[in-house]
Amino acid sequence: MKQKERRPGQKKTSGPSGESRRDDRAGRPPKPPAARPPAARETVREAAVPAAAERPLTTRSGERPTERVPVILESLGAGDFHLIDSGNGEKLEQYGPYRIIRPEGQALWRPSLPAHVWEKVDAVFTGDIDEEGSGRWRFPKAALGETWPLNLLGVDFHGRFTSFRHVGVFPEQIVHWSWMKEQVEKAGRPLKVLNLFGYTGVASLVAAAAGAEVTHVDASKKAIGWARENQALGRMEKLPIRWICEDAMKFILREERRGSQYDIILTDPPKFGRGPNGEVWHLFEHLPLMLDVCREILSPKAVGLVLTAYSIRASFYSIHELMRETMRGAGGVVESGELVIREAGLDGKTPGRALSTSLFSRWVPK
């Protein structure tokens, strides 16, 4: 469906643990590996992804969890972000002090606000919007620095103008982060959270600030560096976060062998990725094993397993049924659908149209 935008500086697709973040949410089919230029390997989130399953899938018995579909998780914005308007294949967003225009293939309609509003912007992403090529930012008013401070859910972090139109955060994930924050705060015990494909660490910081012990995994050294910068910006260096620079699949397979367990797992894999050694990741081929391993490392008192999928041509039912099969015998509920952001106007409080951003599936114990 759509892809996630990410990576400060650059975003190229890479493997399951260091993937390139969502191309452009327009739901384009993945490009064949041969077409990938060398530069694509340097991207944020380089991940070494196993070319084949490292163990067979677990044979599970028992009833599948009950289901709740379709579920639309909607955000009107939060903190320093809101979607002002959208249309004609673009979106107009507010990120702290800056008004920004970026491409948005899902915006098939016409803008609601007049042209003069769209013209008064601080930054416009132009040029090649393909994940394999570099685009450019145009600054109509004045040249801006690469980063600027932002805040969501009480966490400070850096917004970034990257060459792949990403700005260092995927605001549609606010709904998942708010849910996670609530679970951690009401648990009455320190929950262990695993954030796979953690990118710039906003979700990890939200979880840790709420009281969780967090393990953040990303295969990109740049992404880990940016996450640490965000931690320092918010003066959160003492929070219990392990920053792991490694391929996500390799990490969770090792955790399974060690008997490690987590109460909440967030996983946000790319649709296609290539690792530094030529390993190839395909969402439809490797996702079943990834979820299967995640099931094995959930604790007996687990609170949830969350999967988000961008830029795939599939119904949410495809990942919904996979999640139900993965969690067979575990009880609970699997709720699946879409994440959407609703336009909020110039004032951030006037609801408009809903812009679809990604598919998701979430298992919860009840």
Side-chain angles (χ1 to χ4, degrees):
M1 269 202 50
K2 309 79 214 202
Q3 73 220 18
K4 261 185 163 181
E5 334 181 351
R6 292 195 178 194
R7 262 114 213 98
Q10 275 156 0
K11 215 174 200 212
K12 304 176 178 180
T13 68
S14 79
S17 130
E19 72 242 74
S20 105
R21 225 38 224 219
R22 310 124 201 217
D23 347 83
D24 55 81
R25 301 198 171 187
R28 304 177 178 175
K31 307 222 166 149
R36 225 167 183 50
R41 292 195 177 186
E42 306 165 358
T43 178
V44 243
R45 284 200 171 175
E46 285 291 324
V49 185
E54 295 193 17
R55 72 157 174 76
L57 293 174
T58 305
T59 300
R60 304 189 185 281
S61 60
E63 295 295 321
R64 296 191 300 165
T66 56
E67 60 183 330
R68 189 176 299 132
V69 290
V71 175
I72 306 299
L73 297 182
E74 176 183 311
S75 171
L76 190 65
D80 289 340
F81 164 82
H82 70 269
L83 175 64
I84 300 172
D85 193 15
S86 61
N88 292 340
E90 295 181 317
K91 54 188 173 184
L92 178 62
E93 305 164 290
Q94 191 75 43
Y95 282 97
Y98 300 144
R99 190 177 299 178
I100 296 171
I101 294 177
R102 293 189 292 163
E104 179 47 76
Q106 300 296 315
L108 305 177
W109 44 83
R110 293 180 180 178
S112 295
L113 298 177
H116 70 81
V117 174
W118 284 71
E119 292 168 358
K120 295 179 181 179
V121 295
D122 299 284
V124 180
F125 187 87
T126 62
D128 188 351
I129 63 172
D130 185 22
E131 193 72 14
E132 294 183 9
S134 295
R136 296 173 298 280
W137 286 93
R138 177 170 59 84
F139 304 108
K141 296 180 180 178
L144 301 176
E146 180 191 4
T147 67
W148 70 101
L150 289 173
N151 182 286
L152 289 179
L153 299 181
V155 169
D156 294 318
F157 62 97
H158 291 287
R160 293 178 184 267
F161 293 113
T162 78
S163 60
F164 288 91
R165 81 178 178 174
H166 312 308
V167 293
V169 64
F170 294 91
E172 64 272 14
Q173 294 283 346
I174 290 170
V175 288
H176 284 327
W177 301 342
S178 296
W179 167 84
M180 174 181 63
K181 183 174 184 290
E182 179 183 359
Q183 301 307 310
V184 172
E185 290 175 340
K186 73 179 185 181
R189 61 187 174 94
L191 295 186
K192 294 184 66 176
V193 173
L194 173 59
N195 186 14
L196 294 175
F197 317 98
Y199 190 37
T200 57
V202 181
S204 296
L205 292 171
V206 168
E213 298 175 4
V214 182
T215 298
H216 173 111
V217 181
D218 198 293
S220 166
K221 290 182 179 180
K222 274 190 177 181
I224 295 293
W226 295 328
R228 287 183 176 277
E229 288 177 17
N230 287 336
Q231 183 181 28
L233 179 67
R235 296 176 182 172
M236 295 176 156
E237 292 93 336
K238 294 184 179 180
L239 291 180
I241 303 176
R242 289 195 301 158
W243 302 105
I244 308 294
C245 185
E246 188 177 358
D247 171 71
M249 185 72 88
K250 289 183 177 179
F251 177 80
I252 60 175
L253 284 167
R254 189 173 65 254
E255 289 292 88
E256 180 185 27
R257 292 191 294 270
R258 290 173 171 173
S260 299
Q261 295 183 328
Y262 297 89
D263 300 299
I264 296 177
I265 299 178
L266 305 179
T267 181
D268 184 15
K271 63 178 180 180
F272 171 81
R274 179 181 294 238
N277 298 315
E279 304 89 341
V280 174
W281 159 273
H282 287 288
L283 184 73
F284 290 103
E285 294 178 22
H286 301 117
L287 184 60
L289 176 60
M290 175 167 281
L291 284 184
D292 193 58
V293 178
C294 285
R295 159 77 188 269
E296 292 302 307
I297 61 177
L298 282 173
S299 73
K301 295 183 179 180
V303 175
L305 170 59
V306 181
L307 166 68
T308 307
Y310 288 81
S311 300
I312 64 172
R313 289 190 173 183
S315 164
F316 71 83
Y317 264 109
S318 61
I319 59 174
H320 173 72
E321 296 295 2
L322 173 60
M323 183 69 82
R324 292 187 74 205
E325 286 297 324
T326 299
M327 301 306 297
R328 183 183 285 275
V333 180
V334 171
E335 48 191 15
S336 308
E338 297 190 28
L339 302 184
V340 304
I341 295 179
R342 190 165 294 279
E343 296 169 344
L346 284 169
D347 60 2
K349 301 177 182 179
T350 306
R353 297 160 300 199
L355 183 65
S356 179
T357 63
S358 65
L359 307 180
F360 84 93
S361 184
R362 180 170 68 190
W363 172 83
V364 293
K366 60 181 179 179

